[in-house]
Structure formats: C-alpha cells, structure tokens
Amino acid sequence: MRAVVVGGGIAGPAVALALQKVGIEPSVVEARPADARAAGSWFTISPNGLAALAEVDALQRVRALGVPTRRNVMTGATGRTLGTLSLGAPLDDGTPALSFHRPRLASALLDEVAERGIRVYEGTRVEAVSESGDVVVVDLADGRRLTADVVIGADGIHSAVRACIDPTGPAGRYVGLTNFGGITRNTPLSAALAAESWTFVFGRRAFFGALPTPAGDVVWFANVPREPISPAERAATTLGDWRSQLVELADADDGPVAALIRDGELELAGDNTFDLPTVPIWHRGRIGLIGDAVHAPAPSSGQGASMALEDAVVMASSLGRADTVQEGLRAFEHLRRQRVEKIVAMGARASSTKTPRGLRRVLNDTAMRLVFRYVVTERSQEWVFAHRVRIETPAGTGDRDAGGR
Ligand SMILES: Cc1cc2nc3c(=O)[nH]c(=O)nc-3n(C[C@H](O)[C@H](O)[C@H](O)COP(=O)(O)OP(=O)(O)OC[C@H]3O[C@@H](n4cnc5c(N)ncnc54)[C@H](O)[C@@H]3O)c2cc1C
C-alpha cells in the first residue's frame, strides 16, 4: 500500500516513519523549501510524546537536540512561586521531557525520513486532494500529480487537506494571545532560573516563560493578550520594534525576563495563536488527518507536538491492522478523538488564565496558588504524561495507558 503524507513538520515525518514500520510505503510533501526549514522557536515534548518518537526509532537521533525539562515553575509578577508542576515521570531509560528548537527537530526528523529511503518532496505545496476510483490524487503547486492508496494530512492548523475533506469544516479559533519566542545566548541571567525547568511568569501585562540550557543560554517566550496581529502590522514592525514592546511589557514585573528579552534575539515574532477544538469530520474515503490539522491545542497546553507524535503512531498502527483504509481511518478516530479533544479543552483553559485584567490579577495569584496545590497537580496530569502508544500489528490496541489498560 502507498501513502502520501502532506506536511513535513512534526506529525508528518513521524507518521512516515511509523507507516514504513507497518509495511506501508510512504512519501512526504512539505511546502517549505529545504533551505528555509528554520522557522519557529522552542516547544516541549513530554514523556508521552517522546515515547512515540522512540516507537518510530527516532528518539536516539534527536535526543541530544533536546534540553531536559523536568518541571514548570509558576511564578507571579512579584517573582513569588505559585506552584510547581512535574512534566511527568521520565521514560524507562531515564529521558525526561525535552524542550526542542522546533525547526531543528523538524529538520532532523525529515533527514531521518530521507535516510530511511522515504521520498520527500520539499518546496512544493499540496493544492488539492481528491479521490478517483480506488486511488487518491494529490495535486502539487508545481504541477506534479501523485497518486496513493491513502493520504494523510499532517499539514498543520490551516490544513489544506482538512478543507478537501470537508470544505464547510471549522477553521482555527484565535485564542486571544500572540506568541513570541527567542534566545539569549551565554547569559549570567541563567543562574537566576531553576535548572531543567521552565519558569513561567503570570505577569501584569503578559505571560512569559524562560528555560536555561546546559550551554548557558536561556530560551524564552512571551504570550501577549491582544487582538490578532494583522499582516499590515506585521509588515510594518521590525524585530527591534517587537523586542522593545516586549521589554516594556516585561518591565512591569520583577525578575530577569525583561533583561533577557533586551539582551536576546527573537526567533518567532508576532505569531497569532489558534486552537481547533472539534473537527466534526476527521476522514473521508481514503483521506485522513493527524496532528494540528485535526485537533490543534493552544500552545499553552504544552501538548501540540506530543499529541502529533502520538497520532503518528496510532494512525500507522490503525492502518496496518485494518482490512481497508476506511476501516483504519475510522479506528484512528475512535482511538484518538476523546483524548485529544480533552487536551485541547485543557489548553483553552490554560490560555484563558493568561489574559489578566487589572485588579483581578492580584486575586488571581492567590487563586492560582490554590489551583496548583489542589487542582492542577502531578497526579491530575498523569493521564496526559503517562499515556503510551505502541505500534502493534496486526492485533492489539495500538493505544493504551502506561498501566496497560
Ligand atoms: C513554521 C512553524 C513554526 C512553528 N513554531 C512553533 C514554536 O515556536 N512553538 C510551538 O509551540 N509551536 C510551533 N509550531 C507549531 C507546532 O509545530 C505544532 O503545533 C505541533 O508540533 C504539531 O505539529 P504538526 O506536524 O501537526 O503541525 P506543524 O508543525 O504545523 O507542521 C505542518 C507542516 O505542514 C506544512 N504544510 C502546510 N500546508 C501544506 C501544504 N498545503 N502542502 C505541503 N505542506 C504543507 C507546513 O509547512 C509544516 O511544515 C510551528 C509550526 C510551524 C509550521
């Protein structure tokens, strides 16, 4: 059986590797050209996502690119700690959650795909996907046409494949926050931050995160509550302008964040953040979806990449076990919908705590200490981090908890 995977971000390469493992012959189409892979900043992959990477034999290759990230330390605008949240028990080999520079991870995964003999078409966009008898036809922007027995849309939140499956389906929902990410190299300010931890600041004007790396750098991000940034505003604003605005926002809080941004460089600027809570139609005929294309959580969930990796393994297992493509796509939805929609809802709640208003901010710190003590705890998050997916063909569940349920 031949598959075309649309999208060479995180979910795309992972599903290609997983499909090959179950005996399906994939190829990957990625819109970005090979010399423009370097877009984006940092995100974290928790043990549930790392286990999926291990399942497609890719963890070994990318582990050294990741920065160990054992916990999130939540602080208020005065620098006072509001709570600490573990990012889950490490894998059996001791690997804890890892934070990655997204472009570096995506690039390494695509290299791995190519090295395993999987064809990668880079620098060309998929424009249309349609069924014709027993095959799916994929039209590329450069005029080429591919055919396959199944097409997997792993083309992100603004998925073209999703629109081909259901032109009336929902689009991404703006979550009220813009996202900026950057790095400050070789800085003494890293000593002010807890090691192997994201320090999150529920600031007076914005939400910030900072993570020290073993190399002595600090990676950081800012979520700014505001209306979405228009293309015109983006075009008129330089990186220096954005940085000045962020420094001004961070200056309202105690702690090292304002100085970090002042001394650092922006890698991701003015990204409007969206989520995608419920997509009614996940597949049609021989065309399916995974990752952000079908269930994007807001970045605040910290689970976008991990969910995409879990999906990749479960999709390949489902197709590998099924008698027909349609049955495989149905099985995938059945195994995944409930979990991913619960995580998207969790991300939406987390985003809403980042949009403080005036006096409520003061009350929030007290309320939040209680939340991190009694509600959002290591135990309450275990269903997220301890989940394990496996490639199992032809029998087995392909998707189960660490407890073997
Ligand atoms: C350029 C970029 C930068 C990002 N930076 C960050 C970040 O700094 N922090 C963070 O938390 N998250 C970031 N994300 C989002 C994050 O990668 C995803 O939320 C998550 O990893 C889920 O992965 P995914 O593979 O489903 O989707 P994505 O990672 O979005 O990957 C989708 C891929 O599909 C490709 N694509 C889209 N349309 C087509 C088409 N028609 N034909 C062919 N290819 C297509 C895109 O170029 C992309 O490579 C970024 C995403 C992108 C695309």
Side-chain angles (χ1 to χ4, degrees), residues 6-12 29-32 39-43 102 124-127 154-157 160 179 268 290-293 299 304-305 308:
V6 183
I10 306 300
V29 185
E30 165 55 42
R32 299 183 81 88
S41 186
W42 290 68
F43 57 37
R102 188 240 177 229
T124 183
R125 175 169 288 279
V126 168
E127 297 218 307
D155 50 344
I157 181 128
N179 194 17
L268 177 76
I290 59 170
D292 275 10

PDB file of all heavy atoms in Angstrom, residues 6-12 29-32 39-43 102 124-127 154-157 160 179 268 290-293 299 304-305 308, ligand 1:
ATOM      1  N   VAL A   6       1.008  14.618   3.705  1.00  0.00           N
ATOM      2  CA  VAL A   6       1.084  16.044   3.365  1.00  0.00           C
ATOM      3  C   VAL A   6       1.561  16.793   4.612  1.00  0.00           C
ATOM      4  O   VAL A   6       0.856  16.830   5.623  1.00  0.00           O
ATOM      5  CB  VAL A   6      -0.284  16.586   2.912  1.00  0.00           C
ATOM      6  CG1 VAL A   6      -0.152  18.054   2.488  1.00  0.00           C
ATOM      7  CG2 VAL A   6      -0.842  15.743   1.771  1.00  0.00           C
ATOM      8  N   GLY A   7       2.751  17.387   4.551  1.00  0.00           N
ATOM      9  CA  GLY A   7       3.298  18.124   5.690  1.00  0.00           C
ATOM     10  C   GLY A   7       4.524  17.428   6.252  1.00  0.00           C
ATOM     11  O   GLY A   7       4.478  16.244   6.590  1.00  0.00           O
ATOM     12  N   GLY A   8       5.613  18.167   6.329  1.00  0.00           N
ATOM     13  CA  GLY A   8       6.859  17.626   6.869  1.00  0.00           C
ATOM     14  C   GLY A   8       7.272  18.389   8.110  1.00  0.00           C
ATOM     15  O   GLY A   8       8.433  18.742   8.295  1.00  0.00           O
ATOM     16  N   GLY A   9       6.299  18.670   8.987  1.00  0.00           N
ATOM     17  CA  GLY A   9       6.595  19.369  10.250  1.00  0.00           C
ATOM     18  C   GLY A   9       6.993  18.352  11.305  1.00  0.00           C
ATOM     19  O   GLY A   9       8.086  17.764  11.237  1.00  0.00           O
ATOM     20  N   ILE A  10       6.118  18.130  12.272  1.00  0.00           N
ATOM     21  CA  ILE A  10       6.405  17.164  13.338  1.00  0.00           C
ATOM     22  C   ILE A  10       5.624  15.864  13.088  1.00  0.00           C
ATOM     23  O   ILE A  10       6.202  14.779  13.029  1.00  0.00           O
ATOM     24  CB  ILE A  10       6.025  17.756  14.719  1.00  0.00           C
ATOM     25  CG1 ILE A  10       6.719  19.116  14.916  1.00  0.00           C
ATOM     26  CG2 ILE A  10       6.374  16.767  15.833  1.00  0.00           C
ATOM     27  CD1 ILE A  10       8.224  19.091  14.880  1.00  0.00           C
ATOM     28  N   ALA A  11       4.308  15.987  12.899  1.00  0.00           N
ATOM     29  CA  ALA A  11       3.484  14.792  12.702  1.00  0.00           C
ATOM     30  C   ALA A  11       3.847  14.082  11.394  1.00  0.00           C
ATOM     31  O   ALA A  11       3.862  12.846  11.339  1.00  0.00           O
ATOM     32  CB  ALA A  11       1.999  15.189  12.675  1.00  0.00           C
ATOM     33  N   GLY A  12       4.137  14.844  10.343  1.00  0.00           N
ATOM     34  CA  GLY A  12       4.366  14.265   9.021  1.00  0.00           C
ATOM     35  C   GLY A  12       5.539  13.282   8.986  1.00  0.00           C
ATOM     36  O   GLY A  12       5.366  12.110   8.622  1.00  0.00           O
ATOM     37  N   VAL A  29       5.254  15.242   1.396  1.00  0.00           N
ATOM     38  CA  VAL A  29       5.312  16.509   0.657  1.00  0.00           C
ATOM     39  C   VAL A  29       5.344  17.645   1.677  1.00  0.00           C
ATOM     40  O   VAL A  29       4.459  17.739   2.536  1.00  0.00           O
ATOM     41  CB  VAL A  29       4.080  16.705  -0.247  1.00  0.00           C
ATOM     42  CG1 VAL A  29       4.240  17.980  -1.080  1.00  0.00           C
ATOM     43  CG2 VAL A  29       3.851  15.500  -1.148  1.00  0.00           C
ATOM     44  N   GLU A  30       6.350  18.493   1.602  1.00  0.00           N
ATOM     45  CA  GLU A  30       6.472  19.622   2.534  1.00  0.00           C
ATOM     46  C   GLU A  30       6.576  20.925   1.743  1.00  0.00           C
ATOM     47  O   GLU A  30       7.414  21.057   0.848  1.00  0.00           O
ATOM     48  CB  GLU A  30       7.709  19.433   3.436  1.00  0.00           C
ATOM     49  CG  GLU A  30       8.152  20.677   4.199  1.00  0.00           C
ATOM     50  CD  GLU A  30       7.059  21.331   5.062  1.00  0.00           C
ATOM     51  OE1 GLU A  30       6.308  20.599   5.729  1.00  0.00           O
ATOM     52  OE2 GLU A  30       6.966  22.578   5.048  1.00  0.00           O
ATOM     53  N   ALA A  31       5.730  21.884   2.116  1.00  0.00           N
ATOM     54  CA  ALA A  31       5.669  23.139   1.359  1.00  0.00           C
ATOM     55  C   ALA A  31       6.960  23.951   1.454  1.00  0.00           C
ATOM     56  O   ALA A  31       7.382  24.579   0.474  1.00  0.00           O
ATOM     57  CB  ALA A  31       4.495  23.976   1.867  1.00  0.00           C
ATOM     58  N   ARG A  32       7.590  23.949   2.612  1.00  0.00           N
ATOM     59  CA  ARG A  32       8.774  24.797   2.785  1.00  0.00           C
ATOM     60  C   ARG A  32       9.963  24.198   2.037  1.00  0.00           C
ATOM     61  O   ARG A  32      10.185  22.985   2.099  1.00  0.00           O
ATOM     62  CB  ARG A  32       9.140  24.922   4.265  1.00  0.00           C
ATOM     63  CG  ARG A  32       8.069  25.545   5.111  1.00  0.00           C
ATOM     64  CD  ARG A  32       8.538  25.689   6.543  1.00  0.00           C
ATOM     65  NE  ARG A  32       9.370  26.854   6.703  1.00  0.00           N
ATOM     66  CZ  ARG A  32       8.907  28.074   6.977  1.00  0.00           C
ATOM     67  NH1 ARG A  32       7.629  28.262   7.156  1.00  0.00           N
ATOM     68  NH2 ARG A  32       9.719  29.090   7.094  1.00  0.00           N
ATOM     69  N   ALA A  39      12.235  27.939  10.759  1.00  0.00           N
ATOM     70  CA  ALA A  39      11.248  28.905  11.261  1.00  0.00           C
ATOM     71  C   ALA A  39      10.671  28.378  12.567  1.00  0.00           C
ATOM     72  O   ALA A  39      10.392  27.193  12.678  1.00  0.00           O
ATOM     73  CB  ALA A  39      10.143  29.097  10.226  1.00  0.00           C
ATOM     74  N   GLY A  40      10.495  29.273  13.526  1.00  0.00           N
ATOM     75  CA  GLY A  40       9.886  28.863  14.789  1.00  0.00           C
ATOM     76  C   GLY A  40      10.856  28.971  15.941  1.00  0.00           C
ATOM     77  O   GLY A  40      12.038  29.296  15.774  1.00  0.00           O
ATOM     78  N   SER A  41      10.318  28.710  17.108  1.00  0.00           N
ATOM     79  CA  SER A  41      11.113  28.836  18.324  1.00  0.00           C
ATOM     80  C   SER A  41      11.123  27.478  19.045  1.00  0.00           C
ATOM     81  O   SER A  41      11.284  26.460  18.397  1.00  0.00           O
ATOM     82  CB  SER A  41      10.501  29.954  19.159  1.00  0.00           C
ATOM     83  OG  SER A  41      11.280  30.212  20.273  1.00  0.00           O
ATOM     84  N   TRP A  42      10.866  27.474  20.359  1.00  0.00           N
ATOM     85  CA  TRP A  42      11.044  26.260  21.152  1.00  0.00           C
ATOM     86  C   TRP A  42       9.703  25.716  21.640  1.00  0.00           C
ATOM     87  O   TRP A  42       8.783  26.483  21.913  1.00  0.00           O
ATOM     88  CB  TRP A  42      11.928  26.538  22.363  1.00  0.00           C
ATOM     89  CG  TRP A  42      13.357  26.786  21.993  1.00  0.00           C
ATOM     90  CD1 TRP A  42      13.846  27.859  21.310  1.00  0.00           C
ATOM     91  CD2 TRP A  42      14.468  25.937  22.270  1.00  0.00           C
ATOM     92  NE1 TRP A  42      15.198  27.719  21.139  1.00  0.00           N
ATOM     93  CE2 TRP A  42      15.621  26.561  21.728  1.00  0.00           C
ATOM     94  CE3 TRP A  42      14.623  24.719  22.934  1.00  0.00           C
ATOM     95  CZ2 TRP A  42      16.884  26.009  21.828  1.00  0.00           C
ATOM     96  CZ3 TRP A  42      15.891  24.166  23.036  1.00  0.00           C
ATOM     97  CH2 TRP A  42      17.020  24.812  22.486  1.00  0.00           C
ATOM     98  N   PHE A  43       9.613  24.412  21.768  1.00  0.00           N
ATOM     99  CA  PHE A  43       8.483  23.789  22.462  1.00  0.00           C
ATOM    100  C   PHE A  43       8.976  22.554  23.220  1.00  0.00           C
ATOM    101  O   PHE A  43      10.108  22.115  23.031  1.00  0.00           O
ATOM    102  CB  PHE A  43       7.324  23.461  21.528  1.00  0.00           C
ATOM    103  CG  PHE A  43       7.619  22.565  20.361  1.00  0.00           C
ATOM    104  CD1 PHE A  43       8.499  21.497  20.459  1.00  0.00           C
ATOM    105  CD2 PHE A  43       6.981  22.777  19.145  1.00  0.00           C
ATOM    106  CE1 PHE A  43       8.751  20.657  19.379  1.00  0.00           C
ATOM    107  CE2 PHE A  43       7.223  21.946  18.051  1.00  0.00           C
ATOM    108  CZ  PHE A  43       8.119  20.893  18.187  1.00  0.00           C
ATOM    109  N   ARG A 102      12.122  24.062  17.568  1.00  0.00           N
ATOM    110  CA  ARG A 102      11.211  23.366  16.653  1.00  0.00           C
ATOM    111  C   ARG A 102      11.804  23.128  15.260  1.00  0.00           C
ATOM    112  O   ARG A 102      11.727  22.022  14.720  1.00  0.00           O
ATOM    113  CB  ARG A 102       9.874  24.122  16.570  1.00  0.00           C
ATOM    114  CG  ARG A 102       8.810  23.364  15.807  1.00  0.00           C
ATOM    115  CD  ARG A 102       8.343  24.158  14.612  1.00  0.00           C
ATOM    116  NE  ARG A 102       7.372  23.395  13.845  1.00  0.00           N
ATOM    117  CZ  ARG A 102       7.448  23.245  12.519  1.00  0.00           C
ATOM    118  NH1 ARG A 102       8.416  23.812  11.846  1.00  0.00           N
ATOM    119  NH2 ARG A 102       6.548  22.549  11.882  1.00  0.00           N
ATOM    120  N   THR A 124       7.301  22.358  -2.260  1.00  0.00           N
ATOM    121  CA  THR A 124       6.110  22.376  -3.100  1.00  0.00           C
ATOM    122  C   THR A 124       4.878  22.093  -2.254  1.00  0.00           C
ATOM    123  O   THR A 124       4.893  21.211  -1.403  1.00  0.00           O
ATOM    124  CB  THR A 124       6.222  21.386  -4.278  1.00  0.00           C
ATOM    125  OG1 THR A 124       5.049  21.522  -5.098  1.00  0.00           O
ATOM    126  CG2 THR A 124       6.341  19.938  -3.819  1.00  0.00           C
ATOM    127  N   ARG A 125       3.853  22.887  -2.475  1.00  0.00           N
ATOM    128  CA  ARG A 125       2.643  22.835  -1.651  1.00  0.00           C
ATOM    129  C   ARG A 125       1.603  21.915  -2.278  1.00  0.00           C
ATOM    130  O   ARG A 125       1.456  21.888  -3.498  1.00  0.00           O
ATOM    131  CB  ARG A 125       2.112  24.277  -1.577  1.00  0.00           C
ATOM    132  CG  ARG A 125       0.809  24.506  -0.892  1.00  0.00           C
ATOM    133  CD  ARG A 125       0.586  25.984  -0.684  1.00  0.00           C
ATOM    134  NE  ARG A 125       1.461  26.509   0.338  1.00  0.00           N
ATOM    135  CZ  ARG A 125       1.234  26.408   1.648  1.00  0.00           C
ATOM    136  NH1 ARG A 125       0.138  25.836   2.088  1.00  0.00           N
ATOM    137  NH2 ARG A 125       2.079  26.895   2.514  1.00  0.00           N
ATOM    138  N   VAL A 126       0.895  21.169  -1.449  1.00  0.00           N
ATOM    139  CA  VAL A 126      -0.243  20.394  -1.945  1.00  0.00           C
ATOM    140  C   VAL A 126      -1.420  21.347  -2.116  1.00  0.00           C
ATOM    141  O   VAL A 126      -1.787  22.076  -1.187  1.00  0.00           O
ATOM    142  CB  VAL A 126      -0.591  19.251  -0.968  1.00  0.00           C
ATOM    143  CG1 VAL A 126      -1.942  18.641  -1.324  1.00  0.00           C
ATOM    144  CG2 VAL A 126       0.492  18.186  -0.978  1.00  0.00           C
ATOM    145  N   GLU A 127      -1.994  21.352  -3.299  1.00  0.00           N
ATOM    146  CA  GLU A 127      -3.114  22.276  -3.567  1.00  0.00           C
ATOM    147  C   GLU A 127      -4.458  21.594  -3.465  1.00  0.00           C
ATOM    148  O   GLU A 127      -5.432  22.207  -3.052  1.00  0.00           O
ATOM    149  CB  GLU A 127      -2.945  22.883  -4.951  1.00  0.00           C
ATOM    150  CG  GLU A 127      -1.690  23.720  -5.030  1.00  0.00           C
ATOM    151  CD  GLU A 127      -1.870  24.954  -5.859  1.00  0.00           C
ATOM    152  OE1 GLU A 127      -2.323  24.808  -6.995  1.00  0.00           O
ATOM    153  OE2 GLU A 127      -1.554  26.050  -5.357  1.00  0.00           O
ATOM    154  N   ALA A 154      -1.021  16.026   7.348  1.00  0.00           N
ATOM    155  CA  ALA A 154      -0.301  16.415   8.573  1.00  0.00           C
ATOM    156  C   ALA A 154       0.179  17.846   8.338  1.00  0.00           C
ATOM    157  O   ALA A 154       1.317  18.191   8.621  1.00  0.00           O
ATOM    158  CB  ALA A 154       0.862  15.459   8.814  1.00  0.00           C
ATOM    159  N   ASP A 155      -0.728  18.658   7.794  1.00  0.00           N
ATOM    160  CA  ASP A 155      -0.324  19.968   7.282  1.00  0.00           C
ATOM    161  C   ASP A 155      -0.751  21.122   8.181  1.00  0.00           C
ATOM    162  O   ASP A 155      -0.963  22.243   7.714  1.00  0.00           O
ATOM    163  CB  ASP A 155      -0.806  20.172   5.831  1.00  0.00           C
ATOM    164  CG  ASP A 155      -2.284  19.873   5.611  1.00  0.00           C
ATOM    165  OD1 ASP A 155      -2.888  19.221   6.485  1.00  0.00           O
ATOM    166  OD2 ASP A 155      -2.837  20.284   4.581  1.00  0.00           O
ATOM    167  N   GLY A 156      -0.827  20.847   9.476  1.00  0.00           N
ATOM    168  CA  GLY A 156      -0.936  21.934  10.443  1.00  0.00           C
ATOM    169  C   GLY A 156      -2.311  22.559  10.554  1.00  0.00           C
ATOM    170  O   GLY A 156      -3.280  22.150   9.915  1.00  0.00           O
ATOM    171  N   ILE A 157      -2.389  23.580  11.403  1.00  0.00           N
ATOM    172  CA  ILE A 157      -3.690  24.133  11.798  1.00  0.00           C
ATOM    173  C   ILE A 157      -4.483  24.702  10.624  1.00  0.00           C
ATOM    174  O   ILE A 157      -5.704  24.671  10.626  1.00  0.00           O
ATOM    175  CB  ILE A 157      -3.508  25.171  12.922  1.00  0.00           C
ATOM    176  CG1 ILE A 157      -4.850  25.746  13.355  1.00  0.00           C
ATOM    177  CG2 ILE A 157      -2.589  26.304  12.527  1.00  0.00           C
ATOM    178  CD1 ILE A 157      -5.098  25.682  14.805  1.00  0.00           C
ATOM    179  N   ALA A 160      -4.808  22.343   4.338  1.00  0.00           N
ATOM    180  CA  ALA A 160      -5.498  22.296   3.043  1.00  0.00           C
ATOM    181  C   ALA A 160      -6.219  20.958   2.877  1.00  0.00           C
ATOM    182  O   ALA A 160      -7.278  20.880   2.248  1.00  0.00           O
ATOM    183  CB  ALA A 160      -4.482  22.489   1.914  1.00  0.00           C
ATOM    184  N   ASN A 179       2.131  35.199  20.151  1.00  0.00           N
ATOM    185  CA  ASN A 179       3.244  34.413  20.671  1.00  0.00           C
ATOM    186  C   ASN A 179       4.569  34.931  20.104  1.00  0.00           C
ATOM    187  O   ASN A 179       4.670  35.202  18.902  1.00  0.00           O
ATOM    188  CB  ASN A 179       3.034  32.944  20.261  1.00  0.00           C
ATOM    189  CG  ASN A 179       3.934  31.997  21.020  1.00  0.00           C
ATOM    190  OD1 ASN A 179       4.491  32.346  22.068  1.00  0.00           O
ATOM    191  ND2 ASN A 179       4.106  30.802  20.492  1.00  0.00           N
ATOM    192  N   LEU A 268      10.847  33.916  16.869  1.00  0.00           N
ATOM    193  CA  LEU A 268       9.444  33.809  16.437  1.00  0.00           C
ATOM    194  C   LEU A 268       8.768  35.096  16.892  1.00  0.00           C
ATOM    195  O   LEU A 268       8.780  35.414  18.080  1.00  0.00           O
ATOM    196  CB  LEU A 268       8.787  32.605  17.122  1.00  0.00           C
ATOM    197  CG  LEU A 268       7.301  32.373  16.850  1.00  0.00           C
ATOM    198  CD1 LEU A 268       7.119  31.773  15.452  1.00  0.00           C
ATOM    199  CD2 LEU A 268       6.699  31.416  17.877  1.00  0.00           C
ATOM    200  N   ILE A 290      -4.003  14.054  10.778  1.00  0.00           N
ATOM    201  CA  ILE A 290      -3.386  13.886  12.102  1.00  0.00           C
ATOM    202  C   ILE A 290      -2.792  15.221  12.563  1.00  0.00           C
ATOM    203  O   ILE A 290      -2.627  16.153  11.778  1.00  0.00           O
ATOM    204  CB  ILE A 290      -2.263  12.814  12.116  1.00  0.00           C
ATOM    205  CG1 ILE A 290      -1.150  13.177  11.127  1.00  0.00           C
ATOM    206  CG2 ILE A 290      -2.814  11.434  11.821  1.00  0.00           C
ATOM    207  CD1 ILE A 290       0.084  12.291  11.283  1.00  0.00           C
ATOM    208  N   GLY A 291      -2.449  15.289  13.845  1.00  0.00           N
ATOM    209  CA  GLY A 291      -1.753  16.452  14.393  1.00  0.00           C
ATOM    210  C   GLY A 291      -2.631  17.698  14.400  1.00  0.00           C
ATOM    211  O   GLY A 291      -3.861  17.626  14.472  1.00  0.00           O
ATOM    212  N   ASP A 292      -1.961  18.852  14.296  1.00  0.00           N
ATOM    213  CA  ASP A 292      -2.680  20.131  14.350  1.00  0.00           C
ATOM    214  C   ASP A 292      -3.742  20.235  13.261  1.00  0.00           C
ATOM    215  O   ASP A 292      -4.689  21.019  13.382  1.00  0.00           O
ATOM    216  CB  ASP A 292      -1.698  21.295  14.179  1.00  0.00           C
ATOM    217  CG  ASP A 292      -1.031  21.706  15.482  1.00  0.00           C
ATOM    218  OD1 ASP A 292      -1.189  20.974  16.482  1.00  0.00           O
ATOM    219  OD2 ASP A 292      -0.348  22.745  15.500  1.00  0.00           O
ATOM    220  N   ALA A 293      -3.616  19.485  12.196  1.00  0.00           N
ATOM    221  CA  ALA A 293      -4.595  19.557  11.109  1.00  0.00           C
ATOM    222  C   ALA A 293      -5.986  19.138  11.579  1.00  0.00           C
ATOM    223  O   ALA A 293      -6.984  19.551  10.993  1.00  0.00           O
ATOM    224  CB  ALA A 293      -4.148  18.669   9.943  1.00  0.00           C
ATOM    225  N   PRO A 299      -0.951  26.639  22.231  1.00  0.00           N
ATOM    226  CA  PRO A 299       0.398  26.358  22.726  1.00  0.00           C
ATOM    227  C   PRO A 299       0.447  26.234  24.256  1.00  0.00           C
ATOM    228  O   PRO A 299       1.290  25.519  24.796  1.00  0.00           O
ATOM    229  CB  PRO A 299       1.207  27.561  22.244  1.00  0.00           C
ATOM    230  CG  PRO A 299       0.474  28.061  21.045  1.00  0.00           C
ATOM    231  CD  PRO A 299      -0.982  27.771  21.291  1.00  0.00           C
ATOM    232  N   GLY A 304       0.986  20.188  21.928  1.00  0.00           N
ATOM    233  CA  GLY A 304       0.763  20.129  20.483  1.00  0.00           C
ATOM    234  C   GLY A 304       1.658  19.109  19.794  1.00  0.00           C
ATOM    235  O   GLY A 304       1.186  18.240  19.047  1.00  0.00           O
ATOM    236  N   ALA A 305       2.949  19.188  20.043  1.00  0.00           N
ATOM    237  CA  ALA A 305       3.881  18.287  19.369  1.00  0.00           C
ATOM    238  C   ALA A 305       3.738  16.860  19.908  1.00  0.00           C
ATOM    239  O   ALA A 305       3.814  15.883  19.149  1.00  0.00           O
ATOM    240  CB  ALA A 305       5.310  18.797  19.548  1.00  0.00           C
ATOM    241  N   ALA A 308       0.778  15.257  18.345  1.00  0.00           N
ATOM    242  CA  ALA A 308       1.050  14.961  16.931  1.00  0.00           C
ATOM    243  C   ALA A 308       1.854  13.662  16.814  1.00  0.00           C
ATOM    244  O   ALA A 308       1.599  12.843  15.930  1.00  0.00           O
ATOM    245  CB  ALA A 308       1.812  16.127  16.301  1.00  0.00           C
TER     246      ALA A 308
HETATM  247  C1  LIG B   1       6.894  27.219  10.732  1.00  0.00           C
HETATM  248  C2  LIG B   1       6.297  26.757  12.050  1.00  0.00           C
HETATM  249  C3  LIG B   1       6.846  27.207  13.249  1.00  0.00           C
HETATM  250  C4  LIG B   1       6.316  26.788  14.463  1.00  0.00           C
HETATM  251  N1  LIG B   1       6.894  27.251  15.615  1.00  0.00           N
HETATM  252  C5  LIG B   1       6.402  26.837  16.801  1.00  0.00           C
HETATM  253  C6  LIG B   1       7.006  27.296  18.023  1.00  0.00           C
HETATM  254  O1  LIG B   1       7.956  28.063  18.022  1.00  0.00           O
HETATM  255  N2  LIG B   1       6.482  26.857  19.206  1.00  0.00           N
HETATM  256  C7  LIG B   1       5.404  25.988  19.231  1.00  0.00           C
HETATM  257  O2  LIG B   1       4.958  25.594  20.311  1.00  0.00           O
HETATM  258  N3  LIG B   1       4.838  25.539  18.102  1.00  0.00           N
HETATM  259  C8  LIG B   1       5.304  25.945  16.886  1.00  0.00           C
HETATM  260  N4  LIG B   1       4.723  25.492  15.730  1.00  0.00           N
HETATM  261  C9  LIG B   1       3.572  24.584  15.834  1.00  0.00           C
HETATM  262  C10 LIG B   1       3.967  23.171  16.232  1.00  0.00           C
HETATM  263  O3  LIG B   1       4.995  22.685  15.424  1.00  0.00           O
HETATM  264  C11 LIG B   1       2.720  22.302  16.106  1.00  0.00           C
HETATM  265  O4  LIG B   1       1.726  22.824  16.951  1.00  0.00           O
HETATM  266  C12 LIG B   1       2.890  20.874  16.566  1.00  0.00           C
HETATM  267  O5  LIG B   1       4.188  20.458  16.555  1.00  0.00           O
HETATM  268  C13 LIG B   1       2.020  19.925  15.729  1.00  0.00           C
HETATM  269  O6  LIG B   1       2.745  19.525  14.584  1.00  0.00           O
HETATM  270  P1  LIG B   1       2.105  19.236  13.173  1.00  0.00           P
HETATM  271  O7  LIG B   1       3.141  18.468  12.439  1.00  0.00           O
HETATM  272  O8  LIG B   1       0.756  18.688  13.302  1.00  0.00           O
HETATM  273  O9  LIG B   1       1.930  20.666  12.502  1.00  0.00           O
HETATM  274  P2  LIG B   1       3.047  21.695  12.048  1.00  0.00           P
HETATM  275  O10 LIG B   1       4.228  21.624  12.916  1.00  0.00           O
HETATM  276  O11 LIG B   1       2.367  22.996  11.893  1.00  0.00           O
HETATM  277  O12 LIG B   1       3.512  21.155  10.621  1.00  0.00           O
HETATM  278  C14 LIG B   1       2.719  21.254   9.446  1.00  0.00           C
HETATM  279  C15 LIG B   1       3.652  21.207   8.250  1.00  0.00           C
HETATM  280  O13 LIG B   1       2.866  21.144   7.058  1.00  0.00           O
HETATM  281  C16 LIG B   1       3.414  22.007   6.095  1.00  0.00           C
HETATM  282  N5  LIG B   1       2.313  22.372   5.181  1.00  0.00           N
HETATM  283  C17 LIG B   1       1.261  23.175   5.455  1.00  0.00           C
HETATM  284  N6  LIG B   1       0.430  23.224   4.406  1.00  0.00           N
HETATM  285  C18 LIG B   1       0.981  22.429   3.442  1.00  0.00           C
HETATM  286  C19 LIG B   1       0.581  22.084   2.120  1.00  0.00           C
HETATM  287  N7  LIG B   1      -0.557  22.537   1.579  1.00  0.00           N
HETATM  288  N8  LIG B   1       1.394  21.262   1.412  1.00  0.00           N
HETATM  289  C20 LIG B   1       2.538  20.767   1.953  1.00  0.00           C
HETATM  290  N9  LIG B   1       2.954  21.069   3.203  1.00  0.00           N
HETATM  291  C21 LIG B   1       2.179  21.884   3.930  1.00  0.00           C
HETATM  292  C22 LIG B   1       3.965  23.175   6.914  1.00  0.00           C
HETATM  293  O14 LIG B   1       4.951  23.876   6.214  1.00  0.00           O
HETATM  294  C23 LIG B   1       4.513  22.443   8.130  1.00  0.00           C
HETATM  295  O15 LIG B   1       5.844  22.064   7.973  1.00  0.00           O
HETATM  296  C24 LIG B   1       5.209  25.900  14.500  1.00  0.00           C
HETATM  297  C25 LIG B   1       4.652  25.446  13.302  1.00  0.00           C
HETATM  298  C26 LIG B   1       5.190  25.854  12.075  1.00  0.00           C
HETATM  299  C27 LIG B   1       4.594  25.336  10.771  1.00  0.00           C
END
